Amino acid sequence: MPSSSDSVKVAVRVRPFNQREKNAGSKCVLSMNGSTTVITNPENNDKKTFSFDHSYWSHDSSREDENGVFVPDSSNSNYADQRRVFSDLGQGVLDNAWQGYNAALFAYGQTGAGKSYSMIGYGPNKGIVPITCEELFKAIEDNQDKTKQLQVSFSMLEIYNEQVRDLLVKTKPQAGGLKIRQNPQTGFYVEGLKQVPVRDYNEIEKLMEQGTVNRTTASTNMNATSSRSHMVITIRFAQVFKNADGQSNTRSSDINLVDLAGSERADSTGATGDRLKEGSAINQSLSTLGNVISALADLAMGKKKVLVPYRDSVLTKLLQSALGGNSRTIMIAALSPADINYDETLSTLRYADRAKKIQNKAVVNESPTDRLIRELKEENAKLLEALKKQGGVGRSDDLRHLLEENEKKMQSMTMTWEQRLEEARISDNHARIENTGSEVTLEPLNNAKIYVNGHRIHKKIRLENLSRLKFGSSCLFLHVGLPSERKQSDNIDRYDYDYFMMELADHREVSVDLHSQGVYESNDNLNHMRVFQEYMDLIPQISEANAISEELKKGIKFEPEIKSQASHDAKVTTSNKEVIIRVSNPNTKKVWIWSKIKFLHRKDLMDEMYVKWLDSENVHLPRDKDPFWDPVEDIFLGSCHVLLQSLSYCVDTDEHFTLHNYHGKEEAVMQVQIYPSTPSGDYIGDESIVEPKELVGKRFDFVLKLPQCMGVRWTMEDNSRGIYCKSQFRDQAVVKTKTVWGKSYAELGFKHQFTVKKIDMEFIRYLQSHNLVLELWGTQVNDEVHKGHRNGATNGEEEADSLKDECESLKKENFKLKQTVHKQKEAVSLQKTKKVSQTKETPPKNGNLKAALEKQEKSLDEVSHSLSSCVGALKESVANTLKKAKS
Ligand SMILES: Nc1ncnc2c1ncn2[C@@H]1O[C@H](COP(=O)(O)OP(=O)(O)OP(=O)(O)O)[C@@H](O)[C@H]1O
């Protein structure tokens, strides 16, 4: 039994810019020279070099030939076309298969980086899988050897949410998916997976088409499924040798072709700060694959006692032999050239670099007792008989019968059109399309949702050539006009999924106008482009989340938004933006803000929930497990920036500032007073104007007063809401006003004194270059905790707030009184000394005053003390109530 130690072959391939990247003026961060790939950090020009078995440049220097196939545009072009990739990688897989080795080919990389292009291909640009199959059958035809029978069978499965689904079966997947079993000799396999015997490439092509359709229509509401599921195609190739004595020996090979989920999904497993910590099963296979690769790389580097976690996920179980086992393995890492994807591309390169180190032990599968061959033998017993009679591969009644049976079975399990249309939200009489011979018209019926070129239409219109149509939730069509309307220059290819999505986004179908959010402001800014891409990528996921919410009657709405860091930045130098998701319940008017990572994590859980629901499982989850549920939280409404420069001249500020939200919309107006003060907080007055440097070395006090906030939209929209304002001066503690509930004109009555013990030049510079950011936050009633307490009535928290305020002002009054007492004491003792130096006198008149003040001081201390403990007790009781309510 020959065996050979073989490291995993790794190739990387960079694709051309897509339209979106071209529009954004993207720069290419990759360069290749021979087998070397260099990536340049667009922010600091740092270069990192990687070396692989192959580095394929498919970014530019290509042209389309007369058949629509991309080929190098000149003899010195370094463009790597599909044929070249096949002859380097696919041909080796085929040769191995003839020799009886298992082979596996993985495509890894970020969504949209070109995995499917390399594996399957598009149109005439066929990828490795079809070319491999085509070449296999060509070789079979050329190899008509009477002493051996050649059998090929095909299976296609999808791993989604750690469940295996047979893509050659069209029914809704059974709950829990197909079972994974283990054979002590051959390892893990999928029980009941359809292995379809195939006779030529056309049959494989048909099956692949069918499988791809099944994959995308598994749920019409889940367009983006392909980026979250792994697809495994297995071509089982067996050569049955006949000895002269009639004994047979079989050599077989499994060729596994794996299109992995988008690598960026691995990020969302560790959704930080989310209460649903257990995570989703969707990315388990991808992150386990990473762990398996790392462990195998460690082993190959000589590390001892490394446990390879094959059993941690379905994918790694099924591909155990392909990873560090009995297989010749190839990985092709798809790379995006665009600067905005630098981080993802770098991490793909690192992943590929680790995979290089895996050592496999490929062994020829010759054992006649091999389970796989036995199964194939059983399934094809009849077929073999017929083939023997005919002396080769050809059509036989038995074979036809077997295939027809398979087809019949599949058809009986097909999802009806009605079911598919219902899932796509297309009603019975959705639209009327008429072709009069000279024009084609489209008319929405029953107020059905139809968009043409990004606009919702309500009445009959004439369709222009190349109109883009969207029906229901997710059906997109391109209308190719009547022959007389078509032009030579029509470029149908440009109307890809991205194009439709961008058009819909531009016309606000996707609910937010990017222009108003300032995303387009400066296209040269890398961060803005990255945000734009993230935003666009999230749109289909958000539509899906909305559709699932609607279907499961969750009443929750998701909208993408752009958060501008400048709203929180005291220097306003950052223009960085990030995508956030506004989650709202229009019925209860509750609002939440989720980070992109949190949304993706929750979306995976929603998908799991939805799949269960489709399986008619009970999807009622307790709140702490429900991805749609979150406790109420405070929402950032808007902010304003108050220049601190005048403070460095000891000049005060008393102005009304408008608070703007992330999109620059007015949220409220706030009166802001800032003035330099005495250590006791008294206003110093205008005569105190100084040159900043005169302040150096001295103590500095200033007061921030926020008397009121007016025209608050948040509370105007719903008076069960409240607001408060918070701010942070330099590195001092955050200060917060009280919460005012249900008032669009809120009396905040806030006053806080800031003290800097000793001023230095750095502090002066800070005042001259920074702002004080005042953030307005919205609060929402927690219905569970506050049932019945709202509508004007106060609750524990509010009482605690107002008592705290009262206590603060009493303390201040107390401080002032103490100072007066102190002054009086001093005056008394001065008088005493005077008297002593003169003659003995009657006790001073102000002895009574002193006693009275001392008494008052004592009682104020008591009041203050008892108020503090009262506030403490109240806080504790509020915290307990909240804890109880949460638990
Ligand atoms: N080498 C290439 N040459 C020309 N076009 C390419 C190449 N690679 C990818 N593309 C184009 O880039 C787009 C995205 O590629 P593809 O669909 O293969 O990405 P993917 O990584 O499979 O995405 P997903 O994870 O969503 O399935 C497609 O329009 C494809 O035609």
Side-chain angles (χ1 to χ4, degrees), residues 482-541:
L482 298 167
S484 57
E485 295 169 337
R486 296 178 208 164
K487 286 190 222 88
Q488 278 254 294
S489 53
D490 287 350
N491 177 7
I492 292 179
D493 289 346
R494 75 187 277 253
Y495 301 105
D496 56 7
Y497 186 68
D498 265 10
Y499 189 100
F500 276 77
M501 283 299 138
M502 280 206 266
E503 188 171 63
L504 289 164
D506 261 355
H507 294 89
R508 299 182 66 95
E509 203 298 72
V510 286
S511 76
V512 188
D513 183 350
L514 288 166
H515 290 280
S516 81
Q517 303 224 0
V519 179
Y520 288 131
E521 272 162 18
S522 77
N523 261 352
D524 52 349
N525 184 319
L526 209 59
N527 169 267
H528 291 197
M529 288 198 297
R530 190 175 296 137
V531 169
F532 173 58
Q533 169 153 329
E534 278 181 17
Y535 188 96
M536 294 306 294
D537 291 345
L538 273 177
I539 288 170
Q541 307 257 16

Side-chain angles (χ1 to χ4, degrees), residues 677-739:
S677 72
T678 62
S680 53
D682 293 333
Y683 178 62
I684 289 181
D686 272 355
E687 69 277 9
S688 60
I689 297 174
V690 292
E691 273 302 309
K693 58 176 182 285
E694 288 172 33
L695 295 172
V696 175
K698 293 187 186 147
R699 172 185 164 129
F700 187 67
D701 295 274
F702 72 94
V703 169
L704 166 69
K705 264 188 170 180
L706 302 173
Q708 59 215 1
C709 192
M710 294 151 278
V712 185
R713 276 208 311 140
W714 174 253
T715 31
M716 260 190 263
E717 280 166 11
D718 179 357
N719 67 7
S720 73
R721 292 166 170 174
I723 53 135
Y724 63 88
C725 178
K726 71 177 181 187
S727 184
Q728 184 173 24
F729 173 67
R730 241 178 145 205
D731 45 8
Q732 298 204 7
V734 174
V735 291
K736 199 176 135 189
T737 68
K738 67 179 177 192
T739 304

Side-chain angles (χ1 to χ4, degrees), residues 543-562:
S543 310
E544 286 177 16
N546 281 324
I548 297 175
S549 165
E550 201 177 311
E551 208 137 359
L552 302 188
K553 301 202 169 34
K554 289 285 178 185
I556 298 287
K557 210 173 132 211
F558 301 91
E559 284 166 286
E561 260 190 23
I562 309 288

Side-chain angles (χ1 to χ4, degrees), residues 650-679:
C650 284
V651 172
D652 51 342
T653 303
D654 185 357
E655 271 178 59
H656 285 83
F657 287 84
T658 306
L659 296 135
H660 292 106
N661 66 16
Y662 290 132
H663 336 153
K665 208 167 170 186
E666 284 179 21
E667 282 294 334
V669 173
M670 178 131 63
Q671 187 189 358
V672 183
Q673 296 174 337
I674 301 178
Y675 56 83
S677 72
T678 62

